[in-house]
C-alpha cells in the first residue's frame, strides 16, 4: 500500500487544473478591476508561460479580455507599497505568455502593442524604479518582439512600426537586453534587408559603425562573434559606399580582418572572416582596403585570395565532399574572393600588384579551379539543382571568361557536364524555385538577384563559351552536344524578357548583355561552321527572329550596340542562307535589309575642319561613344552586306530606293582621301564594287558620279577595275 504522503499519479496536475479553473471563473465574473487584478495574481502563481499548453493560454487570454490588459499597460501608477509600474509589468508578462501561441502572435491586439514594446526596450531605468520589475518588463517585451519576428507578418509590422530604430537605440545606449536587440536586428536584416535600410538608414549606420569599432578594437573571442554579426550589418548595396560614416566602418573592417587573417587561426575562426571578406569584396570592391595603405592593402588582397584558394582546394579535394553540405556558404564566399582575384590580376599595376605577384595568384587560382573541375566530375544527376553547384558553375564561368589558356583540356572534359547542367536549369525553372531561399543564403547579392540567378546558369557560362566557340576542339564539343540548339532557345527567351521590360535606362540590363554574348557565339559558328548553319533548321528560325526584331532596336538610340550585333549576325547568316525561303524578297527580309542599310549608312557624316577649312568624314554623334564596341561589327557588317548583293537579286533595288549609294558618293566627294581611314575606304569598296558588278543601274549611277576617278583617288582598285569594264 502506498504511503499516505505519496501522491497518486495525476493528483498534482488535477489540483492545479482545479485551481486554474477557479481563477478563470473569477476572471470571467469579476465585477471590477480590483477583483480582476487579484485573480490575475492567482493565475500567475498557478501557471507559468512555459508550463501551459496553447489551449490553456488561449482560455486565459479569452477570460482576461483586452480592455483590462490595455489598461494595465497604460497605467504607470502603482498601489502604495508596490513596485513602480507593477500593473504594466503584469500586463507585459501576460502578453509575453500569450506570444508563445503562434496563432495569437499576429492578433491585432498584439500587433498594436508594438510601439509599447519598442518604448520599453529602448528605455533607461527610471530614477527610483524597482530594477527587478523594470528588467522584467524589458525581458517580457523582448520575448514579444522575438515572437513577432518569427513570422513574415510580424516582421513587416515590426519594421513598419519603428522596431528597427528602437532596437538600434537600445544597442547604441547599451540598455538592458542590448544583446537581444542586436540579434533581433540581425534577424530582421536577414529577412528584410532592403526595407530596413531604406526606412532606418541613419540608425543602422550608427550601429554598424559602433560594431565596426568594436570589431577593430576587440582582441578576444568577441572579435570572432562580431565578425559573424558584421556580415548581416554590411548592406549588400553599394549605394552607401560614398557615405563618410560607412567608409569609416569599412576601414574598421579592414583593420579587424587584417588582424584576423594574418594570424594563426582555427577553422571556426577563419570561416567567418572569409565570409565577411567575400561579402565586402563582392559589393564594395577593393577601395576600402587600398585607401588605408596601397602597398599593405595589395599584400592583404593577395593574402585573402591565397587563403580562399587553399580553402576551396581543402574542401573540394576531400573525396567525401563533406564541406559542400556542411559549409557551402564559406566556400561560396571564397568563390567571391577568387572572382575578385581575377580582377586583381587584370588590374595589376593599378593596385600595386607586381608581375610576379600576379603570376603567383594565377597559379594558386588554377589549382583552385582544378579542384572545382574535380568536383564537377563527382556531381550526380539528382544534385544538378543544388545551389552550391550553381555557385560553383557561376565562378567557373567567370574563370572561363577571363582565362583562355590554363586548364584548356580539363575545361573541354567538363564542357558536356556544364551544357547538361545549364540545360536542366533552363528547361525546368519551376523545379529550381526551391533554390531561391538557399541561393539567398549563399549569394552576396540581395534576394531578388539571387532568385534571378538561381534559374540561369547560362548567363554566367556564355562569356566563356564565346571564347571557346572560336577554337576548334571546344567548338566541336559544343556542337556535338547540341549547345547551338539550347542557345537558340535561350536567345529566344532572353529576347522575350528584353522586349517586355524595355525602359528608358541608358545602361544595358542582364537580358541585353546575354543577347549580345549569344550573338558573339552565333557569329563564331557562322564564320567557322557554315555547313552547320545551312543544315540545322534552328538557324533559319534564328535569322527570322533577328530580321523581325531589328527595327525595334534601331528605334531606341541607347540600344544601338545590340542593334549592331543583330545587324551583323543577320547579314552574316543571310550570306550563308541566301537560297532559303526566308530570304526570297518577302516583307520580313525586305524590312530587315532596309533597317540594316539604316544602321550601316548612319555611322558617318562630313564635318568641316576649322584649322584649314577642309572636310573630314567623322562618326555621327550617336555612334561616337560606342564606336569602340561596335566598330568591328560595323566593318564585318559592311563586308557581309556586300557579299549578299550577288546572292539576293532584289537587294540592289532596295539600296537604290534607300539613297545609300548617293550618300556614299557625297561623303567621298566632300572629303580628301588622306583624311579617311583605310578600313572605311575598304568597307565602302566592298559595297560599291558588288553593286557595280551586279546591277547596271548602280554602275551607270557611279559612272555619272565620276566613279572611276573617285576609285583611283581613294585607291579602290577593285571598284576601278569593275567600272572600267565594258
Amino acid at each position: 500500500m502506498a504511503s499516505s504522503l505519496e501522491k497518486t499519479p495525476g493528483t498534482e496536475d488535477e489540483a492545479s487544473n482545479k485551481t486554474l479553473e477557479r481563477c478563470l471563473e473569477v476572471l470571467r465574473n469579476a465585477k471590477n478591476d480590483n477583483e480582476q487584478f487579484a485573480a490575475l495574481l492567482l493565475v500567475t502563481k498557478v501557471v507559468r508561460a512555459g508550463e501551459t499548453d496553447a489551449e490553456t493560454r488561449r482560455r486565459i487570454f479569452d477570460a482576461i479580455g483586452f480592455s483590462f490588459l490595455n489598461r494595465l499597460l497604460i497605467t504607470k501608477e502603482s498601489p502604495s507599497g508596490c513596485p513602480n509600474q507593477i500593473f504594466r509589468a503584469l500586463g507585459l508578462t501576460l502578453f509575453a505568455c500569450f506570444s508563445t501561441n503562434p496563432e495569437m502572435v499576429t492578433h491585432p491586439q498584439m500587433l498594436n502593442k508594438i510601439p509599447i514594446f519598442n518604448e520599453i526596450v529602448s528605455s533607461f531605468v527610471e530614477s527610483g524604479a524597482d530594477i527587478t520589475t523594470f528588467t522584467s518588463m524589458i525581458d517580457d517585451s523582448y520575448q514579444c518582439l522575438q515572437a513577432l519576428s518569427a513570422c513574415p507578418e510580424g516582421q513587416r509590422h515590426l519594421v513598419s512600426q519603428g522596431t528597427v530604430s528602437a532596437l538600434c537605440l537600445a544597442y547604441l545606449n547599451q540598455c538592458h537586453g542590448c544583446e537581444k536587440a542586436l540579434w533581433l536586428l540581425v534577424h530582421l536584416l536577414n529577412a528584410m534587408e532592403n526595407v530596413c535600410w531604406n526606412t532606418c538608414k541613419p540608425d543602422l549606420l550608427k550601429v554598424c559603425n559602433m560594431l565596426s569599432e568594436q570589431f577593430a578594437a576587440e582582441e578576444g573571442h568577441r572579435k570572432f562573434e562580431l565578425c559573424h554579426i558584421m556580415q548581416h550589418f554590411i548592406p549588400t548595396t553599394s549605394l552607401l559606399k560614398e557615405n563618410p560614416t560607412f567608409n569609416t566602418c569599412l576601414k574598421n573592417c579592414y583593420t579587424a580582418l587584417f588582424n584576423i587573417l594574418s594570424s594563426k587561426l582555427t577553422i571556426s575562426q577563419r570561416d567567418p572572416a572569409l565570409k565577411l571578406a567575400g561579402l565586402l569584396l563582392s559589393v564594395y570592391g577593393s577601395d576600402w582596403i587600398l585607401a588605408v595603405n596601397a602597398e599593405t592593402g595589395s599584400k592583404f588582397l593577395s593574402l585573402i585570395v591565397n587563403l580562399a584558394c587553399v580553402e576551396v582546394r581543402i574542401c573540394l579535394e576531400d573525396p567525401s565532399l563533406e564541406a559542400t553540405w556542411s559549409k557551402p556558404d564559406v566556400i561560396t564566399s571564397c568563390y567571391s574572393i577568387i572572382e575578385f582575384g581575377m580582377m586583381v590580376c587584370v588590374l595589376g599595376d593599378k593596385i600595386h600588384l607586381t608581375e610576379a605577384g600576379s603570376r603567383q595568384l594565377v597559379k594558386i587560382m588554377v589549382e583552385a579551379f582544378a579542384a572545382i573541375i574535380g568536383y564537377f566530375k563527382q556531381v550526380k544527376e539528382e544534385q544538378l539543382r543544388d545551389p552550391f553547384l550553381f555557385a560553383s558553375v557561376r565562378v567557373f564561368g567567370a574563370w572561363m571568361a577571363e582565362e583562355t589558356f590554363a586548364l584548356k583540356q580539363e575545361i573541354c572534359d567538363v564542357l558536356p557536364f556544364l551544357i547538361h547542367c545549364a540545360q536542366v536549369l533552363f528547361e525546368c525553372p519551376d523545379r529550381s524555385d526551391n533554390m531561391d531561399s538557399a541561393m539567398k543564403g549563399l549569394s552576396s547579392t540581395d534576394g531578388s538577384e539571387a532568385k534571378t540567378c538561381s534559374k540561369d546558369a547560362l548567363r554566367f557560362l556564355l562569356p566563356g563559351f564565346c571564347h571557346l566557340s572560336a577554337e576548334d576542339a571546344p567548338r566541336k564539343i559544343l556542337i556535338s552536344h547540341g549547345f547551338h540548339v539550347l542557345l537558340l532557345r535561350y536567345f529566344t527567351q532572353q529576347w522575350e524578357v528584353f522586349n517586355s521590360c524595355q525602359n528608358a535606362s541608358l545602361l544595358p540590363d542582364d537580358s541585353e548583355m546575354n543577347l549580345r554574348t549569344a550573338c558573339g557565339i552565333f557569329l563564331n559558328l557562322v564564320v567557322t561552321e557554315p555547313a552547320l548553319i545551312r543544315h540545322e533548321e534552328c538557324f533559319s528560325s534564328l535569322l527570322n527572329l533577328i530580321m523581325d526584331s531589328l527595327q525595334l532596336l534601331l528605334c531606341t538610340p541607347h540600344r544601338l550596340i545590340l542593334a549592331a550585333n543583330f545587324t551583323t549576325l543577320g547579314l552574316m547568316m543571310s550570306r550563308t542562307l541566301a537560297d532559303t525561303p526566308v530570304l526570297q524578297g518577302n516583307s520580313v527580309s525586305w524590312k530587315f535589309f532596309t533597317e540594316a542599310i539604316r544602321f550601316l549608312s548612319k555611322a558617318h557624316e562630313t564635318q568641316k575642319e576649322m584649322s584649314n577649312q577642309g572636310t573630314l568624314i567623322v562618326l555621327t554623334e550617336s555612334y561616337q561613344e560606342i564606336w569602340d564596341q561596335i566598330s568591328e561589327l560595323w566593318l564585318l557588317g559592311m563586308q557581309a552586306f556586300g557579299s549578299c548583293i550577288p546572292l539576293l537579286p532584289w537587294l540592289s533595288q532596295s539600296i537604290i530606293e534607300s539613297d545609300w549609294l548617293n550618300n556614299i558618293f557625297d561623303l567621298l566627294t566632300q572629303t580628301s582621301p588622306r583624311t579617311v581611314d583605310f578600313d572605311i575606304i575598304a568597307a565602302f569598296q566592298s559595297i560599291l564594287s558588288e553593286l557595280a558588278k551586279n546591277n547596271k543601274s548602280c554602275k551607270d549611277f557611279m559612272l555619272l558620279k565620276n566613279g572611276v576617278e573617285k576609285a583611283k583617288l581613294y585607291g579602290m582598285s577593285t571598284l576601278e577595275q569593275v567600272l572600267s569594264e565594258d
Side-chain angles (χ1 to χ4, degrees), residues 420-495:
H420 180 60
C421 178
Q423 184 171 0
V424 167
L425 290 179
F426 176 72
E427 291 180 343
C428 308
D430 55 319
R431 293 186 61 187
S432 68
D433 280 344
N434 59 8
M435 293 171 64
D436 294 343
S437 59
M439 277 304 302
K440 185 178 178 182
L442 293 181
S443 177
S444 296
T445 60
D446 66 18
S448 60
E449 183 173 339
K451 185 170 183 177
T452 303
C453 295
S454 66
K455 302 171 185 177
D456 192 359
L458 275 171
R459 170 189 176 191
F460 301 104
L461 292 172
L462 286 185
F465 282 5
C466 190
H467 292 313
L468 294 172
S469 64
E471 301 181 27
D472 291 341
R475 184 174 64 253
K476 297 299 182 186
I477 297 172
L478 291 171
I479 293 171
S480 66
H481 286 81
F483 176 69
H484 53 290
V485 179
L486 173 62
L487 185 60
L488 173 59
R489 293 167 60 196
Y490 182 73
F491 187 91
T492 304
Q493 181 231 45
Q494 290 294 297
W495 172 251

Side-chain angles (χ1 to χ4, degrees), residues 84-86 88-94 96 120-121 125 130-144 176 180:
N84 193 24
Q85 292 200 344
I86 186 64
R88 205 175 199 198
L90 178 59
L92 287 167
T93 298
L94 290 167
I120 291 171
V121 299
V125 179
D130 181 77
I131 299 298
T132 303
T133 302
F134 193 80
T135 56
S136 173
M137 290 169 59
I138 293 177
D139 292 337
D140 288 336
S141 295
Y142 273 121
Q143 183 172 328
C144 295
H176 174 75
K180 293 179 183 177

Side-chain angles (χ1 to χ4, degrees), residues 547 584-594:
M547 290 196 301
Q584 298 311 306
N586 55 51
S587 60
V588 174
S589 58
W590 186 279
K591 183 174 68 174
F592 167 73
F593 276 92
T594 299

Side-chain angles (χ1 to χ4, degrees), residues 99 196 225 356 407 415 492 522 524 581 633 640 680 695:
S99 72
C196 289
E225 185 177 307
L407 300 172
L415 269 182
T492 304
F522 282 129
N524 287 338
L633 289 169
I680 296 177
N695 188 283

Side-chain angles (χ1 to χ4, degrees), residues 162 169 208 224 388 411 425 560:
L169 186 60
C208 188
F224 301 102
F388 177 73
I411 289 174
L425 290 179
L560 195 55

